[in-house]
Amino acid sequence: MTPEKINSILGDEAQDLLTYKCTKVPKERLHLPSADFLDQHFVFSNRTPQTLRSLAQLYGAGRLGGTGYVSILPIDQGIEHSGGASFAANPMYFDPENIVKLAIEGGCNGVATTYGGLALMSRKYAHKIPFIVKINHNELLTYPNSFEQIMFGTVRDAWNLGAVAVGATIYFGSADARRQITEVAAAFEEAHSLGMATILWCYLRNDAFKTGGKDYHVAADLTGQANHLGVTIQADIIKQKLPENNGGYKALNMGSSSYGKLDERMYTDLATDHPIDLCRYQVLNCYSGRIGLINSGGASSGASDLKEAVKTAVINKRAGGMGLISGRKAFQRPFEEGVSLLHSIQDIYLSKEIDVA
């Protein structure tokens, strides 16, 4: 995709997003994705040689292989959002082989989906594209719906089917968060001992985070802290929603409530309200970029999906992030269109004209 095409897609936002320079946290204070990222940041860690090999497989696959950036196709929505709601737009993806095919044709570094789907495809595809097994889910069938991530198998199951990594979600801020943190931390320790990499979906979930007409589930300060907890339990890659606002701690400390800890310099010295600065605060909380941040592509909105995906990729890359993990925008459309959208995302990271702000 040419620079002219990228400008055209971004429209009125192109100038601001493509030329903005971060001054609060300059890029020189970050550890940025690069071809030798593993050698720079993991070789001297406690990760085993087998885990380093798994990370190298993930970083080395697909159209972004060897760049330090990653593009991952995640399709666990059949559980998280129900199969019918997720795949009615494109029923071919009830068949897990088509999920794997989309990731391969889409040039992704890896495919993240369920135990059952990857188990059925194991012998045919595990050597062709890195598998990432999503080990826990919110099953969304309990009535009334609850929001608890529960394990759907064992880490050894994931290892046996040939996965190079496991992925897990923690709903930070939820009533169930402490169980999820300890459970996932133990699973990640086992995954590393077996030589697999770990990816953590660092999501927030609490009805109280919606207050004053704003949704602070996507606040930079709260998601940044979730990232900081995620790297503490040794996630090798952090997945997070792109921030849309800031000041979650402040909003939740209004009135007689007391929540968390904050320092005004979080907002004055480390961020502005610019989307690239907000995302950079997320990167900063991933050990200053030593652990890669991938942002999620979000729900499919139809005609605006391409612009939204390109915009998210530009913000993530220019903030110092490691890539994008986009599912619904790709699989809830015809196969070839999904492939094209994934390629468009990857083209942002391949573009030499788009640099880190």
Side-chain angles (χ1 to χ4, degrees):
M1 186 161 48
T2 65
E4 292 75 20
K5 178 66 172 176
I6 295 170
N7 272 270
S8 175
I9 291 170
L10 293 175
D12 294 341
E13 298 179 275
Q15 180 72 12
D16 181 45
L17 291 175
L18 296 173
T19 64
Y20 182 78
K21 183 175 177 61
C22 296
T23 57
K24 296 293 186 180
V25 180
K27 64 183 179 181
E28 289 77 16
R29 287 170 59 182
L30 300 177
H31 303 277
L32 300 173
S34 62
D36 62 348
F37 190 84
L38 271 180
D39 291 331
Q40 291 294 322
H41 304 299
F42 281 100
V43 162
F44 297 106
S45 73
N46 67 340
R47 274 51 164 189
T48 65
Q50 292 87 354
T51 298
L52 293 177
R53 182 176 58 199
S54 292
L55 282 165
Q57 284 180 263
L58 191 63
Y59 289 153
R63 294 181 72 230
L64 297 183
T67 66
Y69 292 106
V70 296
S71 165
I72 296 172
L73 177 73
I75 304 184
D76 61 346
Q77 283 85 358
I79 299 175
E80 296 282 344
H81 303 287
S82 91
S86 298
F87 303 136
N90 208 349
M92 67 182 288
Y93 291 111
F94 277 106
D95 183 340
E97 183 166 16
N98 290 325
I99 293 173
V100 180
K101 285 181 176 178
L102 177 61
I104 292 173
E105 292 299 316
C108 294
N109 296 70
V111 56
T113 188
T114 63
Y115 276 109
L118 290 178
L120 282 174
M121 296 297 108
S122 177
R123 294 183 184 276
K124 188 171 183 179
Y125 291 106
H127 59 295
K128 296 180 180 178
I129 185 170
F131 280 6
I132 302 158
V133 177
K134 187 65 164 51
I135 61 176
N136 68 354
H137 302 280
N138 176 28
E139 44 84 18
L140 208 65
L141 196 58
T142 299
Y143 185 86
N145 286 158
S146 62
F147 298 99
E148 297 182 8
Q149 290 285 330
I150 57 173
M151 289 290 174
F152 267 58
T154 67
V155 173
R156 187 162 287 274
D157 285 340
W159 181 79
N160 279 330
L161 62 82
V164 305
V166 295
T169 298
I170 293 176
Y171 285 148
F172 291 103
S174 72
D176 194 48
R178 290 181 177 86
R179 176 192 62 80
Q180 294 172 41
I181 291 168
T182 55
E183 197 169 79
V184 172
F188 279 9
E189 181 181 0
E190 183 178 7
H192 280 151
S193 73
L194 290 171
M196 289 185 288
T198 58
I199 304 175
L200 187 62
W201 279 236
C202 284
Y203 286 171
L204 302 177
R205 187 59 62 89
N206 192 313
D207 288 341
F209 292 169
K210 293 182 179 180
T211 183
K214 287 190 175 182
D215 185 357
Y216 292 103
H217 286 97
V218 287
D221 54 351
L222 300 186
T223 55
Q225 181 60 20
N227 291 356
H228 200 68
L229 295 177
V231 295
T232 298
I233 63 172
Q234 300 189 75
D236 298 319
I237 295 174
I238 294 293
K239 177 192 177 188
Q240 184 56 269
K241 295 179 180 179
L242 200 67
E244 298 177 14
N245 55 50
N246 208 352
Y249 278 119
K250 290 183 176 182
L252 292 165
N253 270 284
M254 293 179 68
S256 60
S257 67
S258 177
Y259 175 71
K261 297 288 184 181
L262 65 91
D263 185 313
E264 276 297 325
R265 290 169 291 188
M266 294 161 53
Y267 310 105
T268 59
D269 295 5
L270 299 180
T272 70
D273 60 358
H274 195 282
I276 294 175
D277 275 330
L278 295 177
C279 187
R280 177 152 297 183
Y281 186 74
Q282 291 183 336
V283 175
L284 189 65
N285 275 279
C286 294
Y287 292 150
S288 298
R290 287 181 183 271
I291 300 298
L293 169 72
I294 55 176
N295 286 118
S296 54
S300 176
S301 304
S304 64
D305 280 354
L306 178 59
K307 179 179 179 179
E308 291 172 4
V310 168
K311 178 179 176 179
T312 303
V314 168
I315 292 171
N316 172 271
K317 182 180 182 181
R318 301 210 68 227
M322 182 171 275
L324 216 59
I325 180 163
S326 186
R328 282 170 286 179
K329 283 181 169 58
F331 75 77
Q332 289 184 337
R333 61 183 62 248
F335 185 88
E336 292 303 325
E337 289 183 21
V339 169
S340 177
L341 186 137
L342 291 169
H343 286 177
S344 295
I345 290 169
Q346 294 151 14
D347 286 345
I348 301 302
Y349 295 96
L350 293 171
S351 173
K352 291 181 171 59
E353 286 79 13
I354 300 174
D355 60 356
V356 179

